[in-house]
Amino acid sequence: MPYLAPILNDPLLAAVFWSAATIAVYLVAKLAYRRWRRWWLMPLALAPIMLIVAALALHTSYHDYIRGTHWIVALLGPATVAFAVPIYEQRALIRRYWPVLAFAMVAGSITSMATAWALASVLGLNDALRLSLLPRSISTPFAMAVSGEIGGVPDLTAVFVVITGILGAVIGEVMLARFPVRSAMARGVLLGVSAHGAGTAKAHEMGREEGSIAGLVMVLVGLFNVLFAPVLAMGLHYI
């Protein structure tokens, strides 16, 4: 597309172009998923694929893309403050079920990190990939913070988070359809712990209570992992 060359060759115009393209693609994916409800249309899955295709077609490298859209990633930091809202709104639920929520938070975090470490060891991944894979089961803002704390690559962790979220939401829905799990608490916890934002979106489709619990658990797991990250980093030093 030669007519786009003047735009893509100018750093400022390229930043505006890719920022607008990213937001537009996300909105299109969101509308498509809302209309047809297919897992491969989830914005978390469809938007990155559409952007990769566009970048390849326009011969734009990842470095050039992220240079213009890094401000969107930077917004993830302040966005974590918003996670305090569901915690405040669900404070009665936390007081009532705190033993179950605490157990789910710790057990889910340990299981996801242990399986990630085992998978990385089986595949013979290097240290950077291994550490980037560890926080794959928590939401992106928390996962990138944990990854940076323990020596991983935050950008790479974001990719693992997306893949984990999509697979977790799809597999979690299949499991809940096949196994007799009727409790809204159990269904919400399962999706919130294993598939963070994508799982929470899926839980909201199942019911309001499931969605609220999944969102709350997702936030609690993220906070737990951020607070636990320095201890984890010290522990990894001795492995």
Side-chain angles (χ1 to χ4, degrees):
M1 300 181 186
Y3 56 88
L4 286 177
I7 296 176
L8 298 176
N9 289 333
D10 183 296
L12 181 59
L13 293 178
V16 173
F17 174 82
W18 283 114
S19 296
T22 301
I23 295 170
V25 162
Y26 173 77
L27 293 175
V28 168
K30 192 173 180 180
L31 289 173
Y33 182 69
R34 187 177 296 172
R35 173 67 177 81
W36 289 287
R37 295 287 180 188
R38 298 289 186 272
W39 70 265
W40 62 84
L41 292 177
M42 283 194 294
L44 205 58
L46 184 59
I49 292 174
M50 292 172 69
L51 286 169
I52 290 172
V53 171
L56 290 174
L58 297 173
H59 306 289
T60 298
S61 67
Y62 172 75
H63 176 74
D64 290 337
Y65 170 79
I66 202 65
R67 185 176 56 191
T69 58
H70 191 71
W71 66 272
I72 298 176
V73 180
L75 290 178
L76 289 173
T80 56
V81 177
F83 286 144
V85 176
I87 292 178
Y88 178 76
E89 291 178 342
Q90 301 295 336
R91 57 193 184 282
L93 189 72
I94 294 175
R95 280 198 296 269
R96 187 175 179 186
Y97 295 110
W98 71 265
V100 176
L101 295 172
F103 179 80
M105 186 171 64
V106 175
S109 299
I110 292 174
T111 302
S112 78
M113 288 194 180
T115 53
W117 187 267
L119 177 64
S121 299
V122 169
L123 296 177
L125 301 181
N126 61 37
D127 286 346
L129 285 172
R130 189 191 303 259
L131 295 172
S132 303
L133 192 59
L134 281 184
R136 65 186 170 83
S137 288
I138 54 180
S139 59
T140 307
F142 296 121
M144 294 180 75
V146 171
S147 180
E149 182 73 33
I150 64 177
V153 181
D155 287 348
L156 202 52
T157 297
V159 176
F160 293 140
V161 168
V162 169
I163 296 172
T164 300
I166 295 168
L167 291 178
V170 173
I171 296 172
E173 184 179 25
V174 173
M175 288 179 64
L176 290 176
R178 291 181 181 275
F179 294 100
V181 181
R182 301 286 177 255
S183 162
M185 168 67 76
R187 294 161 71 88
V189 166
L190 185 148
L191 290 167
V193 169
S194 62
H196 48 82
T200 299
K202 182 58 65 181
H204 273 291
E205 293 176 16
M206 296 177 179
R208 185 175 179 181
E209 191 173 358
E210 284 91 338
S212 298
I213 293 168
L216 175 63
V217 171
M218 175 190 73
V219 175
L220 292 176
V221 168
L223 289 172
F224 172 74
N225 278 267
V226 169
L227 295 173
F228 183 66
V231 179
L232 178 64
M234 287 177 60
L236 291 172
H237 231 29
Y238 297 98
I239 296 179

